[in-house]
Amino acid sequence: MMQHVKSIRPFIGAENFGISRSFYKDLGFEEVILEPKLSLFKRQKTGFYLQDYYAKDWIDNTMVFMEVENTDDFWKELQTLNLTGKYERVKLTPVRTMDWGKECFVHDPSGILWHFGEFF
């Protein structure tokens, strides 16, 4: 196929749609409400769809990788947001360095695992 790809936007679910919407706004995403149970969250040219739908097996097996410019700086910003204080189920895991690059982790309020990292 010769078609130019412009973006990829995963759909993720939320156990509590309202709490997840607040969490992603706190994380720096802009919300665009598309329907009462579906929002687009975007940050610059990157985005994903958050839906008011929860299936435990699906959520427990969902991971999203978002490439950032500098993982160490991103981690410092994460720590200033007090996400674990505001959201009961949110977990943060510090930066780790591997052969391919660096990453840190965030579990959102529903349990979705986000990888934020950079490639060497």
Side-chain angles (χ1 to χ4, degrees):
M1 293 194 58
M2 300 302 290
Q3 191 58 233
H4 176 73
V5 176
K6 294 176 73 174
S7 72
I8 187 167
R9 293 181 180 172
F11 285 77
I12 64 172
E15 185 172 9
N16 182 311
F17 192 56
I19 289 173
S20 289
R21 289 174 63 207
S22 294
F23 170 80
Y24 286 111
K25 287 187 263 187
D26 284 348
L27 201 53
F29 287 94
E30 174 190 347
E31 181 183 20
V32 178
I33 298 171
L34 302 173
E35 298 176 6
K37 295 185 174 198
L38 179 68
S39 290
L40 168 65
F41 281 85
K42 58 185 186 173
R43 191 166 171 174
Q44 291 126 14
K45 295 182 179 184
T46 301
F48 65 93
Y49 297 102
L50 180 69
Q51 37 189 346
D52 188 5
Y53 177 78
Y54 179 77
K56 183 172 176 27
D57 287 344
W58 173 45
I59 297 297
D60 287 349
N61 288 289
T62 298
M63 293 188 284
V64 180
F65 184 95
M66 188 170 108
E67 186 178 2
V68 296
E69 189 172 72
N70 184 304
T71 309
D72 293 318
D73 289 346
F74 188 84
W75 174 251
K76 288 175 190 170
E77 289 179 39
L78 272 177
Q79 292 180 297
T80 68
L81 300 177
N82 189 31
L83 296 173
T84 56
K86 290 181 183 178
Y87 303 99
E88 183 178 330
R89 296 179 56 199
V90 169
K91 293 188 287 186
L92 305 178
T93 304
V95 175
R96 65 180 190 172
T97 303
M98 279 82 56
D99 292 340
W100 58 266
K102 293 181 175 185
E103 68 180 342
C104 61
F105 303 98
V106 176
H107 285 87
D108 86 349
S110 299
I112 292 173
L113 177 58
W114 282 79
H115 299 241
F116 295 97
E118 66 185 279
F119 299 102
F120 293 141

